[in-house]
Structures are given as structure tokens and as C-alpha cells.
Amino acid sequence: MNKKWSEQGIGVGWIVQLKFADENEALYPDTDNYIITKNVNYALASLTDGEVIAAADSIDCLKSVAEKMCDSKIELVDAWPNTYDWGIEL
């Protein structure tokens, strides 16, 4: 059983590596890194091109919203709590 992201301690400012399992791999790469941000809603923003692939009312809804928006199953591969490890200052 997959734990909710909030149960894993994942929150705003975390970088998550997601694996996409869609039928059209030309549209989305196999894996990509995203940062979780929050303005009004929580969002997943790509570190590759800045594209926001999902926005939701809670951290735990981001994955399901992203799956719907990308028409793909998404698996959390890894997560990092410290953006400074990536050279990113928020």
C-alpha cells in the first residue's frame, strides 16, 4: 500500500522524483524532478522547464490531480526535503 505524501513527511519545498507510466512516452519523460510549491494551492512545478503539471488543495491530492492532467500513472521514486542540496534557494 502506498502511503499518502503527507504521511511520508513530504511538504512544501520538497523535491520529488516522479516516474510516469503512460501510453505515449513521447509526451512525458520516464522520470522527472518536481518541486512542491504553495501560493494559494499546492503545486508540482517541473525543475526541467518550470511547467506546473498539477495544482490541488492538499499535498495528498497532487498525485491524483497530476495523474489526471498527464493521463498517466505516477510513482514516487524519491524525495528530498532540502532544496539547498540542489542549489535552489527559495
Side-chain angles (χ1 to χ4, degrees), residues 12-15 35-37 47 81-90:
V12 173
W14 277 60
I15 294 173
I35 189 165
I36 297 174
T37 64
L47 291 181
N82 190 344
T83 58
Y84 292 106
D85 291 343
W86 286 73
I88 300 170
E89 287 190 42
L90 300 176

Side-chain angles (χ1 to χ4, degrees), residues 1-85:
M1 183 178 127
N2 291 333
K3 285 184 173 182
K4 293 180 179 180
W5 286 3
S6 64
E7 292 173 347
Q8 297 177 58
I10 296 172
V12 173
W14 277 60
I15 294 173
V16 292
Q17 184 178 48
L18 304 178
K19 180 178 181 181
F20 295 84
D22 62 355
E23 293 178 13
N24 189 352
E25 292 186 19
L27 292 178
Y28 296 97
D30 289 339
T31 62
D32 202 356
N33 298 313
Y34 295 85
I35 189 165
I36 297 174
T37 64
K38 183 167 194 256
N39 189 355
V40 174
N41 291 315
Y42 294 92
L44 279 173
S46 171
L47 291 181
T48 304
D49 61 11
E51 177 186 10
V52 173
I53 64 163
D57 293 338
S58 74
I59 294 273
D60 296 326
C61 291
L62 277 175
K63 181 183 175 219
S64 61
V65 171
E67 287 177 332
K68 288 178 187 173
M69 296 297 294
C70 297
D71 193 25
S72 172
K73 287 288 186 190
I74 295 174
E75 173 188 339
L76 177 66
V77 176
D78 209 344
W80 300 271
N82 190 344
T83 58
Y84 292 106
D85 291 343

